[in-house]
Amino acid sequence: MDVPVFIDGAHVPGHISLDLKDLHPDFYTGACHKWMMTPKGSTFLYIKRELQDQYDPLVVSWGYKSAMPSHSKFLDYHQLQGTRDIFAFLTIPAAIQFMKEHNWTEVSKLCRKLVHDNAKPFCDLLNTQPLAPVNDEFIGQMISIPIQTSDPVKLYRYLFDEHKIEIPVMNINNKFYLRYSINAFNSQEELDKLYGALRRAVKRRLLG
């Protein structure tokens, strides 16, 4: 019996090299606003062609019984929902062109190096270990570091209120993680600022 494969690839576009033709999933969704820096709302859904007629959106709008149907009912039903502003989607070609013009492969490589180079100092400071080997196979432009804290909300507020650092402090099955992400506009200086803030958090016993 075939098991349908649905892949949540939200962080892949602009971050990890991937060819859907090679992957050939049944369903795939990705978000362009995360690493391609397009506006929020520019998320896409891929469904294998032979499965497309089996799935309708929760709301079928302009494409329903279209006076000028296209070659695909899937596109007709999903492409436009009433008065929804589609500007976010229209920015994607410009984002792709921007990445080509600025050699984004090299930009991404430098970002990954920052992530990797800083992983051990942060883990040593927080007396923890990375969740996976720190290399290109497992870690891209972001890393989640296990932390010990009795009050993750207080830690988050401390970082934001006192240091103006916006960073996820996540609770997953009662285990806590701190995640830093690096894109072209981030720097080693910002990671140093985070390191200093966390070092003070350790002294204040916000971190174990």
Short mmCIF file of all heavy atoms in Angstrom, two decimals, residues 28-95:
data_model
loop_
_atom_site.label_atom_id
_atom_site.label_comp_id
_atom_site.label_asym_id
_atom_site.label_seq_id
_atom_site.Cartn_x
_atom_site.Cartn_y
_atom_site.Cartn_z
N TYR A 28 4.08 19.00 -1.23
CA TYR A 28 5.20 19.77 -0.71
C TYR A 28 4.74 21.21 -0.54
O TYR A 28 4.04 21.76 -1.39
CB TYR A 28 6.39 19.74 -1.68
CG TYR A 28 7.64 20.40 -1.13
CD1 TYR A 28 8.63 19.65 -0.51
CD2 TYR A 28 7.81 21.78 -1.21
CE1 TYR A 28 9.76 20.25 0.01
CE2 TYR A 28 8.94 22.39 -0.69
CZ TYR A 28 9.91 21.63 -0.09
OH TYR A 28 11.02 22.22 0.43
N THR A 29 5.13 21.81 0.57
CA THR A 29 4.85 23.23 0.76
C THR A 29 6.11 23.93 1.24
O THR A 29 6.89 23.38 2.01
CB THR A 29 3.69 23.45 1.77
OG1 THR A 29 3.39 24.84 1.85
CG2 THR A 29 4.03 22.92 3.14
N GLY A 30 6.32 25.14 0.74
CA GLY A 30 7.49 25.93 1.10
C GLY A 30 7.13 27.39 1.24
O GLY A 30 6.15 27.85 0.65
N ALA A 31 7.91 28.11 2.02
CA ALA A 31 7.65 29.53 2.27
C ALA A 31 8.79 30.37 1.74
O ALA A 31 9.94 30.16 2.12
CB ALA A 31 7.46 29.78 3.77
N CYS A 32 8.47 31.32 0.87
CA CYS A 32 9.50 32.17 0.29
C CYS A 32 9.86 33.36 1.18
O CYS A 32 10.89 34.00 0.97
CB CYS A 32 9.06 32.67 -1.09
SG CYS A 32 8.80 31.34 -2.28
N HIS A 33 9.02 33.65 2.17
CA HIS A 33 9.29 34.83 3.00
C HIS A 33 10.40 34.61 4.01
O HIS A 33 10.94 35.57 4.57
CB HIS A 33 8.01 35.29 3.71
CG HIS A 33 7.62 34.45 4.89
ND1 HIS A 33 6.75 33.39 4.78
CD2 HIS A 33 7.99 34.51 6.19
CE1 HIS A 33 6.59 32.84 5.97
NE2 HIS A 33 7.33 33.48 6.85
N LYS A 34 10.77 33.36 4.27
CA LYS A 34 11.75 33.10 5.32
C LYS A 34 13.17 33.44 4.88
O LYS A 34 13.84 34.27 5.48
CB LYS A 34 11.65 31.64 5.78
CG LYS A 34 10.35 31.33 6.51
CD LYS A 34 10.29 29.88 6.93
CE LYS A 34 9.00 29.57 7.67
NZ LYS A 34 8.93 30.18 9.01
N TRP A 35 13.65 32.79 3.82
CA TRP A 35 15.05 32.97 3.41
C TRP A 35 15.20 33.72 2.10
O TRP A 35 16.28 34.23 1.80
CB TRP A 35 15.74 31.60 3.32
CG TRP A 35 15.81 30.95 4.66
CD1 TRP A 35 14.95 30.03 5.18
CD2 TRP A 35 16.76 31.22 5.69
NE1 TRP A 35 15.31 29.70 6.46
CE2 TRP A 35 16.43 30.41 6.81
CE3 TRP A 35 17.87 32.05 5.79
CZ2 TRP A 35 17.16 30.43 7.99
CZ3 TRP A 35 18.60 32.06 6.98
CH2 TRP A 35 18.24 31.26 8.05
N MET A 36 14.12 33.82 1.33
CA MET A 36 14.18 34.60 0.10
C MET A 36 13.79 36.06 0.34
O MET A 36 13.86 36.88 -0.55
CB MET A 36 13.26 33.98 -0.96
CG MET A 36 13.73 32.63 -1.43
SD MET A 36 12.59 31.84 -2.60
CE MET A 36 12.67 32.98 -3.97
N MET A 37 13.31 36.34 1.56
CA MET A 37 13.04 37.71 2.00
C MET A 37 11.89 38.37 1.25
O MET A 37 11.82 39.59 1.13
CB MET A 37 14.31 38.57 1.91
CG MET A 37 15.44 38.03 2.78
SD MET A 37 17.01 38.93 2.60
CE MET A 37 17.47 38.46 0.94
N THR A 38 10.96 37.58 0.74
CA THR A 38 9.74 38.12 0.16
C THR A 38 8.75 38.41 1.28
O THR A 38 8.93 37.98 2.42
CB THR A 38 9.14 37.14 -0.85
OG1 THR A 38 8.85 35.91 -0.17
CG2 THR A 38 10.09 36.86 -2.00
N PRO A 39 7.65 39.13 1.00
CA PRO A 39 6.67 39.41 2.05
C PRO A 39 5.98 38.13 2.54
O PRO A 39 5.88 37.14 1.82
CB PRO A 39 5.66 40.34 1.35
CG PRO A 39 6.40 40.91 0.18
CD PRO A 39 7.35 39.85 -0.26
N LYS A 40 5.51 38.18 3.78
CA LYS A 40 4.75 37.05 4.31
C LYS A 40 3.51 36.82 3.45
O LYS A 40 2.90 37.76 2.94
CB LYS A 40 4.35 37.31 5.75
CG LYS A 40 5.50 37.17 6.73
CD LYS A 40 5.04 37.24 8.17
CE LYS A 40 6.19 37.00 9.13
NZ LYS A 40 5.76 37.05 10.54
N GLY A 41 3.15 35.56 3.33
CA GLY A 41 2.02 35.19 2.48
C GLY A 41 2.45 34.59 1.17
O GLY A 41 1.62 34.08 0.41
N SER A 42 3.75 34.60 0.89
CA SER A 42 4.24 34.05 -0.39
C SER A 42 4.66 32.59 -0.22
O SER A 42 5.78 32.20 -0.50
CB SER A 42 5.41 34.89 -0.91
OG SER A 42 6.39 35.09 0.09
N THR A 43 3.73 31.82 0.28
CA THR A 43 3.93 30.38 0.47
C THR A 43 3.33 29.63 -0.71
O THR A 43 2.35 30.08 -1.31
CB THR A 43 3.26 29.92 1.77
OG1 THR A 43 3.89 30.59 2.86
CG2 THR A 43 3.38 28.43 1.98
N PHE A 44 3.90 28.49 -1.07
CA PHE A 44 3.38 27.75 -2.22
C PHE A 44 3.06 26.31 -1.83
O PHE A 44 3.62 25.76 -0.89
CB PHE A 44 4.35 27.78 -3.40
CG PHE A 44 5.65 27.06 -3.15
CD1 PHE A 44 5.77 25.69 -3.39
CD2 PHE A 44 6.77 27.75 -2.70
CE1 PHE A 44 6.96 25.03 -3.17
CE2 PHE A 44 7.97 27.10 -2.47
CZ PHE A 44 8.07 25.74 -2.71
N LEU A 45 2.14 25.73 -2.59
CA LEU A 45 1.75 24.32 -2.42
C LEU A 45 2.01 23.58 -3.72
O LEU A 45 1.59 24.02 -4.79
CB LEU A 45 0.27 24.22 -2.06
CG LEU A 45 -0.34 22.80 -2.09
CD1 LEU A 45 0.24 21.95 -0.97
CD2 LEU A 45 -1.86 22.88 -1.98
N TYR A 46 2.72 22.47 -3.61
CA TYR A 46 2.94 21.57 -4.74
C TYR A 46 2.19 20.27 -4.48
O TYR A 46 2.28 19.72 -3.38
CB TYR A 46 4.43 21.27 -4.91
CG TYR A 46 4.74 20.10 -5.81
CD1 TYR A 46 4.92 20.27 -7.18
CD2 TYR A 46 4.83 18.80 -5.30
CE1 TYR A 46 5.19 19.20 -8.01
CE2 TYR A 46 5.12 17.72 -6.11
CZ TYR A 46 5.29 17.92 -7.47
OH TYR A 46 5.56 16.85 -8.29
N ILE A 47 1.44 19.82 -5.48
CA ILE A 47 0.81 18.50 -5.43
C ILE A 47 1.15 17.78 -6.72
O ILE A 47 1.04 18.36 -7.81
CB ILE A 47 -0.72 18.58 -5.26
CG1 ILE A 47 -1.08 19.28 -3.93
CG2 ILE A 47 -1.34 17.19 -5.29
CD1 ILE A 47 -2.58 19.39 -3.69
N LYS A 48 1.57 16.55 -6.60
CA LYS A 48 1.90 15.75 -7.77
C LYS A 48 0.76 15.81 -8.80
O LYS A 48 -0.41 15.71 -8.43
CB LYS A 48 2.18 14.31 -7.35
CG LYS A 48 2.77 13.43 -8.45
CD LYS A 48 2.90 11.99 -7.98
CE LYS A 48 3.86 11.84 -6.82
NZ LYS A 48 4.04 10.41 -6.45
N ARG A 49 1.09 15.97 -10.06
CA ARG A 49 0.08 16.23 -11.09
C ARG A 49 -1.05 15.21 -11.09
O ARG A 49 -2.23 15.56 -11.19
CB ARG A 49 0.73 16.28 -12.47
CG ARG A 49 -0.20 16.78 -13.57
CD ARG A 49 0.51 16.78 -14.92
NE ARG A 49 1.67 17.65 -14.90
CZ ARG A 49 1.62 18.96 -15.09
NH1 ARG A 49 0.46 19.55 -15.32
NH2 ARG A 49 2.73 19.68 -15.07
N GLU A 50 -0.71 13.92 -10.94
CA GLU A 50 -1.75 12.90 -11.01
C GLU A 50 -2.68 12.90 -9.80
O GLU A 50 -3.73 12.24 -9.80
CB GLU A 50 -1.13 11.51 -11.20
CG GLU A 50 -0.09 11.13 -10.18
CD GLU A 50 1.32 11.44 -10.64
OE1 GLU A 50 1.51 12.46 -11.33
OE2 GLU A 50 2.23 10.64 -10.31
N LEU A 51 -2.33 13.65 -8.76
CA LEU A 51 -3.17 13.74 -7.56
C LEU A 51 -3.96 15.05 -7.49
O LEU A 51 -4.85 15.19 -6.64
CB LEU A 51 -2.31 13.62 -6.29
CG LEU A 51 -1.52 12.33 -6.11
CD1 LEU A 51 -0.65 12.41 -4.86
CD2 LEU A 51 -2.46 11.13 -6.02
N GLN A 52 -3.66 16.00 -8.34
CA GLN A 52 -4.20 17.35 -8.19
C GLN A 52 -5.73 17.41 -8.23
O GLN A 52 -6.34 18.17 -7.48
CB GLN A 52 -3.60 18.26 -9.25
CG GLN A 52 -2.14 18.57 -9.01
CD GLN A 52 -1.51 19.43 -10.10
OE1 GLN A 52 -2.18 19.79 -11.07
NE2 GLN A 52 -0.24 19.76 -9.93
N ASP A 53 -6.34 16.62 -9.08
CA ASP A 53 -7.81 16.69 -9.20
C ASP A 53 -8.53 16.14 -7.98
O ASP A 53 -9.75 16.30 -7.84
CB ASP A 53 -8.27 15.94 -10.45
CG ASP A 53 -7.97 16.71 -11.73
OD1 ASP A 53 -7.72 17.93 -11.62
OD2 ASP A 53 -7.98 16.10 -12.81
N GLN A 54 -7.80 15.49 -7.07
CA GLN A 54 -8.43 14.91 -5.89
C GLN A 54 -8.56 15.91 -4.73
O GLN A 54 -9.22 15.61 -3.74
CB GLN A 54 -7.63 13.70 -5.41
CG GLN A 54 -7.49 12.59 -6.42
CD GLN A 54 -6.63 11.45 -5.91
OE1 GLN A 54 -6.60 11.17 -4.70
NE2 GLN A 54 -5.93 10.77 -6.81
N TYR A 55 -7.93 17.09 -4.86
CA TYR A 55 -7.86 18.00 -3.73
C TYR A 55 -8.34 19.40 -4.10
O TYR A 55 -7.85 20.00 -5.06
CB TYR A 55 -6.42 18.06 -3.19
CG TYR A 55 -5.97 16.74 -2.63
CD1 TYR A 55 -5.30 15.82 -3.44
CD2 TYR A 55 -6.24 16.39 -1.32
CE1 TYR A 55 -4.91 14.59 -2.94
CE2 TYR A 55 -5.86 15.16 -0.81
CZ TYR A 55 -5.19 14.27 -1.62
OH TYR A 55 -4.82 13.04 -1.13
N ASP A 56 -9.30 19.88 -3.33
CA ASP A 56 -9.82 21.23 -3.50
C ASP A 56 -9.43 22.08 -2.29
O ASP A 56 -9.25 21.56 -1.19
CB ASP A 56 -11.35 21.22 -3.61
CG ASP A 56 -11.82 20.50 -4.86
OD1 ASP A 56 -11.03 20.37 -5.81
OD2 ASP A 56 -12.99 20.05 -4.87
N PRO A 57 -9.30 23.38 -2.45
CA PRO A 57 -9.05 24.25 -1.30
C PRO A 57 -10.27 24.32 -0.41
O PRO A 57 -11.38 23.97 -0.81
CB PRO A 57 -8.75 25.60 -1.96
CG PRO A 57 -9.48 25.56 -3.24
CD PRO A 57 -9.42 24.13 -3.71
N LEU A 58 -10.09 24.77 0.82
CA LEU A 58 -11.23 24.93 1.73
C LEU A 58 -12.23 25.93 1.16
O LEU A 58 -13.44 25.79 1.37
CB LEU A 58 -10.74 25.39 3.11
CG LEU A 58 -9.94 24.37 3.91
CD1 LEU A 58 -9.44 25.00 5.21
CD2 LEU A 58 -10.79 23.15 4.23
N VAL A 59 -11.71 26.95 0.47
CA VAL A 59 -12.58 27.95 -0.16
C VAL A 59 -12.27 27.96 -1.64
O VAL A 59 -11.14 28.20 -2.05
CB VAL A 59 -12.33 29.36 0.43
CG1 VAL A 59 -13.18 30.39 -0.31
CG2 VAL A 59 -12.65 29.38 1.92
N VAL A 60 -13.27 27.65 -2.46
CA VAL A 60 -13.13 27.76 -3.91
C VAL A 60 -13.77 29.08 -4.32
O VAL A 60 -14.94 29.32 -4.05
CB VAL A 60 -13.81 26.59 -4.64
CG1 VAL A 60 -13.62 26.73 -6.15
CG2 VAL A 60 -13.23 25.26 -4.17
N SER A 61 -12.99 29.93 -4.97
CA SER A 61 -13.49 31.26 -5.28
C SER A 61 -13.62 31.47 -6.78
O SER A 61 -14.40 30.79 -7.44
CB SER A 61 -12.57 32.30 -4.63
OG SER A 61 -13.09 33.59 -4.77
N TRP A 62 -12.82 32.33 -7.33
CA TRP A 62 -13.01 32.75 -8.72
C TRP A 62 -12.93 31.61 -9.73
O TRP A 62 -13.53 31.69 -10.81
CB TRP A 62 -11.97 33.81 -9.08
CG TRP A 62 -12.26 35.14 -8.48
CD1 TRP A 62 -11.71 35.67 -7.34
CD2 TRP A 62 -13.20 36.10 -8.93
NE1 TRP A 62 -12.24 36.89 -7.07
CE2 TRP A 62 -13.17 37.19 -8.04
CE3 TRP A 62 -14.09 36.15 -10.00
CZ2 TRP A 62 -13.97 38.32 -8.18
CZ3 TRP A 62 -14.88 37.27 -10.17
CH2 TRP A 62 -14.82 38.33 -9.26
N GLY A 63 -12.20 30.56 -9.41
CA GLY A 63 -12.02 29.50 -10.40
C GLY A 63 -13.19 28.54 -10.52
O GLY A 63 -13.20 27.68 -11.41
N TYR A 64 -14.19 28.66 -9.65
CA TYR A 64 -15.30 27.70 -9.67
C TYR A 64 -16.17 27.92 -10.89
O TYR A 64 -16.68 29.01 -11.13
CB TYR A 64 -16.11 27.83 -8.38
CG TYR A 64 -17.22 26.81 -8.26
CD1 TYR A 64 -16.92 25.47 -8.03
CD2 TYR A 64 -18.56 27.19 -8.38
CE1 TYR A 64 -17.92 24.53 -7.93
CE2 TYR A 64 -19.56 26.25 -8.28
CZ TYR A 64 -19.26 24.92 -8.05
OH TYR A 64 -20.25 23.99 -7.95
N LYS A 65 -16.34 26.87 -11.69
CA LYS A 65 -17.12 26.94 -12.93
C LYS A 65 -16.74 28.18 -13.74
O LYS A 65 -17.59 28.97 -14.18
CB LYS A 65 -18.62 26.96 -12.62
CG LYS A 65 -19.12 25.66 -12.01
CD LYS A 65 -20.63 25.66 -11.82
CE LYS A 65 -21.10 24.32 -11.26
NZ LYS A 65 -22.58 24.28 -11.07
N SER A 66 -15.42 28.34 -13.91
CA SER A 66 -14.90 29.51 -14.59
C SER A 66 -15.42 29.64 -16.01
O SER A 66 -15.56 28.63 -16.73
CB SER A 66 -13.36 29.44 -14.61
OG SER A 66 -12.82 30.48 -15.38
N ALA A 67 -15.71 30.88 -16.40
CA ALA A 67 -16.14 31.12 -17.78
C ALA A 67 -14.98 30.92 -18.74
O ALA A 67 -15.19 30.68 -19.94
CB ALA A 67 -16.68 32.55 -17.91
N MET A 68 -13.76 31.04 -18.22
CA MET A 68 -12.56 30.84 -19.05
C MET A 68 -11.61 29.90 -18.34
O MET A 68 -10.57 30.30 -17.84
CB MET A 68 -11.89 32.19 -19.33
CG MET A 68 -12.72 33.14 -20.17
SD MET A 68 -11.88 34.71 -20.50
CE MET A 68 -11.87 35.42 -18.84
N PRO A 69 -11.98 28.63 -18.23
CA PRO A 69 -11.14 27.69 -17.49
C PRO A 69 -9.78 27.49 -18.16
O PRO A 69 -9.65 27.58 -19.39
CB PRO A 69 -11.96 26.39 -17.52
CG PRO A 69 -12.85 26.53 -18.72
CD PRO A 69 -13.16 27.99 -18.82
N SER A 70 -8.78 27.25 -17.32
CA SER A 70 -7.45 26.97 -17.84
C SER A 70 -7.33 25.48 -18.15
O SER A 70 -8.31 24.74 -18.10
CB SER A 70 -6.40 27.41 -16.82
OG SER A 70 -6.37 26.48 -15.73
N HIS A 71 -6.10 25.05 -18.37
CA HIS A 71 -5.84 23.65 -18.63
C HIS A 71 -5.91 22.82 -17.35
O HIS A 71 -5.88 21.58 -17.40
CB HIS A 71 -4.46 23.47 -19.24
CG HIS A 71 -3.34 23.84 -18.30
ND1 HIS A 71 -3.03 25.16 -18.01
CD2 HIS A 71 -2.48 23.09 -17.57
CE1 HIS A 71 -2.03 25.19 -17.14
NE2 HIS A 71 -1.68 23.96 -16.86
N SER A 72 -6.01 23.49 -16.17
CA SER A 72 -5.91 22.78 -14.89
C SER A 72 -6.98 23.26 -13.92
O SER A 72 -6.98 24.42 -13.51
CB SER A 72 -4.51 23.01 -14.29
OG SER A 72 -4.46 22.60 -12.94
N LYS A 73 -7.86 22.35 -13.49
CA LYS A 73 -8.83 22.70 -12.46
C LYS A 73 -8.12 23.03 -11.15
O LYS A 73 -8.56 23.91 -10.39
CB LYS A 73 -9.79 21.53 -12.23
CG LYS A 73 -10.95 21.88 -11.29
CD LYS A 73 -11.81 20.66 -10.94
CE LYS A 73 -11.17 19.87 -9.82
NZ LYS A 73 -12.06 18.82 -9.27
N PHE A 74 -7.00 22.35 -10.90
CA PHE A 74 -6.22 22.61 -9.68
C PHE A 74 -5.79 24.08 -9.63
O PHE A 74 -5.95 24.74 -8.60
CB PHE A 74 -5.00 21.69 -9.67
CG PHE A 74 -4.05 21.93 -8.54
CD1 PHE A 74 -4.35 21.48 -7.26
CD2 PHE A 74 -2.84 22.58 -8.74
CE1 PHE A 74 -3.47 21.69 -6.20
CE2 PHE A 74 -1.96 22.80 -7.69
CZ PHE A 74 -2.28 22.35 -6.42
N LEU A 75 -5.27 24.60 -10.72
CA LEU A 75 -4.88 26.00 -10.76
C LEU A 75 -6.09 26.92 -10.66
O LEU A 75 -6.07 27.92 -9.93
CB LEU A 75 -4.10 26.30 -12.05
CG LEU A 75 -2.69 25.73 -12.15
CD1 LEU A 75 -2.07 26.08 -13.50
CD2 LEU A 75 -1.81 26.23 -11.02
N ASP A 76 -7.14 26.59 -11.37
CA ASP A 76 -8.33 27.43 -11.34
C ASP A 76 -8.88 27.55 -9.91
O ASP A 76 -9.28 28.63 -9.48
CB ASP A 76 -9.41 26.86 -12.25
CG ASP A 76 -9.04 26.96 -13.72
OD1 ASP A 76 -8.16 27.77 -14.05
OD2 ASP A 76 -9.63 26.21 -14.53
N TYR A 77 -8.88 26.45 -9.17
CA TYR A 77 -9.47 26.44 -7.83
C TYR A 77 -8.56 27.08 -6.78
O TYR A 77 -9.04 27.63 -5.79
CB TYR A 77 -9.80 25.01 -7.41
CG TYR A 77 -11.12 24.49 -7.93
CD1 TYR A 77 -11.72 25.01 -9.07
CD2 TYR A 77 -11.78 23.47 -7.26
CE1 TYR A 77 -12.91 24.53 -9.55
CE2 TYR A 77 -12.99 22.98 -7.72
CZ TYR A 77 -13.55 23.52 -8.87
OH TYR A 77 -14.76 23.04 -9.32
N HIS A 78 -7.25 26.97 -6.98
CA HIS A 78 -6.31 27.41 -5.94
C HIS A 78 -5.69 28.79 -6.19
O HIS A 78 -5.21 29.42 -5.25
CB HIS A 78 -5.16 26.40 -5.80
CG HIS A 78 -5.54 25.13 -5.13
ND1 HIS A 78 -6.18 24.09 -5.79
CD2 HIS A 78 -5.39 24.71 -3.85
CE1 HIS A 78 -6.39 23.09 -4.95
NE2 HIS A 78 -5.92 23.43 -3.76
N GLN A 79 -5.68 29.24 -7.44
CA GLN A 79 -4.84 30.38 -7.77
C GLN A 79 -5.30 31.70 -7.18
O GLN A 79 -4.50 32.53 -6.77
CB GLN A 79 -4.72 30.50 -9.30
CG GLN A 79 -3.59 31.39 -9.75
CD GLN A 79 -3.31 31.21 -11.24
OE1 GLN A 79 -4.22 31.09 -12.05
NE2 GLN A 79 -2.04 31.19 -11.60
N LEU A 80 -6.59 31.94 -7.12
CA LEU A 80 -7.09 33.24 -6.67
C LEU A 80 -8.30 33.06 -5.78
O LEU A 80 -9.26 32.38 -6.15
CB LEU A 80 -7.46 34.11 -7.88
CG LEU A 80 -7.98 35.51 -7.55
CD1 LEU A 80 -6.92 36.33 -6.83
CD2 LEU A 80 -8.42 36.22 -8.83
N GLN A 81 -8.24 33.67 -4.62
CA GLN A 81 -9.36 33.62 -3.68
C GLN A 81 -9.91 35.03 -3.49
O GLN A 81 -9.36 35.84 -2.73
CB GLN A 81 -8.92 33.03 -2.34
CG GLN A 81 -8.55 31.56 -2.44
CD GLN A 81 -8.16 30.97 -1.09
OE1 GLN A 81 -8.09 31.68 -0.10
NE2 GLN A 81 -7.91 29.67 -1.06
N GLY A 82 -10.97 35.30 -4.22
CA GLY A 82 -11.71 36.55 -4.06
C GLY A 82 -10.84 37.79 -4.11
O GLY A 82 -10.09 38.01 -5.05
N THR A 83 -10.91 38.60 -3.05
CA THR A 83 -10.20 39.88 -3.02
C THR A 83 -8.83 39.78 -2.35
O THR A 83 -8.25 40.80 -1.98
CB THR A 83 -11.04 40.93 -2.28
OG1 THR A 83 -11.31 40.46 -0.96
CG2 THR A 83 -12.34 41.19 -3.00
N ARG A 84 -8.31 38.58 -2.18
CA ARG A 84 -6.99 38.44 -1.56
C ARG A 84 -5.94 39.18 -2.37
O ARG A 84 -5.86 39.05 -3.60
CB ARG A 84 -6.60 36.97 -1.45
CG ARG A 84 -5.22 36.79 -0.82
CD ARG A 84 -4.81 35.34 -0.70
NE ARG A 84 -3.50 35.24 -0.07
CZ ARG A 84 -2.87 34.10 0.13
NH1 ARG A 84 -3.42 32.97 -0.23
NH2 ARG A 84 -1.68 34.09 0.70
N ASP A 85 -5.10 39.95 -1.68
CA ASP A 85 -4.03 40.70 -2.32
C ASP A 85 -2.90 39.74 -2.69
O ASP A 85 -2.34 39.08 -1.82
CB ASP A 85 -3.52 41.77 -1.36
CG ASP A 85 -2.58 42.76 -2.03
OD1 ASP A 85 -2.03 42.43 -3.10
OD2 ASP A 85 -2.39 43.85 -1.48
N ILE A 86 -2.57 39.66 -3.97
CA ILE A 86 -1.57 38.70 -4.43
C ILE A 86 -0.18 39.33 -4.58
O ILE A 86 0.72 38.73 -5.17
CB ILE A 86 -1.98 38.05 -5.76
CG1 ILE A 86 -2.05 39.11 -6.89
CG2 ILE A 86 -3.30 37.31 -5.62
CD1 ILE A 86 -2.21 38.49 -8.26
N PHE A 87 0.02 40.53 -4.03
CA PHE A 87 1.30 41.21 -4.25
C PHE A 87 2.48 40.40 -3.73
O PHE A 87 3.58 40.45 -4.31
CB PHE A 87 1.30 42.60 -3.60
CG PHE A 87 1.72 42.60 -2.16
CD1 PHE A 87 3.03 42.87 -1.80
CD2 PHE A 87 0.81 42.32 -1.14
CE1 PHE A 87 3.42 42.87 -0.48
CE2 PHE A 87 1.21 42.31 0.18
CZ PHE A 87 2.51 42.59 0.52
N ALA A 88 2.29 39.66 -2.62
CA ALA A 88 3.41 38.89 -2.06
C ALA A 88 3.95 37.89 -3.07
O ALA A 88 5.17 37.71 -3.22
CB ALA A 88 2.96 38.18 -0.79
N PHE A 89 3.05 37.23 -3.80
CA PHE A 89 3.48 36.25 -4.80
C PHE A 89 4.22 36.94 -5.96
O PHE A 89 5.15 36.38 -6.53
CB PHE A 89 2.28 35.48 -5.34
CG PHE A 89 1.55 34.69 -4.29
CD1 PHE A 89 0.31 35.10 -3.84
CD2 PHE A 89 2.10 33.54 -3.75
CE1 PHE A 89 -0.38 34.38 -2.87
CE2 PHE A 89 1.42 32.81 -2.78
CZ PHE A 89 0.19 33.23 -2.34
N LEU A 90 3.80 38.14 -6.30
CA LEU A 90 4.39 38.84 -7.43
C LEU A 90 5.81 39.32 -7.17
O LEU A 90 6.52 39.70 -8.10
CB LEU A 90 3.50 40.03 -7.81
CG LEU A 90 2.06 39.69 -8.21
CD1 LEU A 90 1.29 40.94 -8.56
CD2 LEU A 90 2.03 38.70 -9.37
N THR A 91 6.24 39.30 -5.91
CA THR A 91 7.61 39.70 -5.59
C THR A 91 8.62 38.57 -5.78
O THR A 91 9.83 38.83 -5.78
CB THR A 91 7.72 40.19 -4.13
OG1 THR A 91 7.48 39.08 -3.25
CG2 THR A 91 6.72 41.31 -3.84
N ILE A 92 8.15 37.35 -5.92
CA ILE A 92 9.06 36.20 -5.96
C ILE A 92 10.04 36.26 -7.14
O ILE A 92 11.24 36.03 -6.96
CB ILE A 92 8.28 34.88 -5.95
CG1 ILE A 92 7.56 34.73 -4.60
CG2 ILE A 92 9.20 33.69 -6.19
CD1 ILE A 92 6.64 33.53 -4.52
N PRO A 93 9.60 36.59 -8.36
CA PRO A 93 10.59 36.69 -9.46
C PRO A 93 11.69 37.71 -9.18
O PRO A 93 12.86 37.46 -9.50
CB PRO A 93 9.73 37.10 -10.67
CG PRO A 93 8.36 36.57 -10.35
CD PRO A 93 8.22 36.75 -8.87
N ALA A 94 11.34 38.86 -8.58
CA ALA A 94 12.36 39.86 -8.26
C ALA A 94 13.32 39.33 -7.20
O ALA A 94 14.53 39.62 -7.26
CB ALA A 94 11.69 41.15 -7.77
N ALA A 95 12.80 38.58 -6.24
CA ALA A 95 13.67 37.99 -5.21
C ALA A 95 14.64 36.99 -5.83
O ALA A 95 15.83 36.97 -5.48
CB ALA A 95 12.82 37.32 -4.14
#
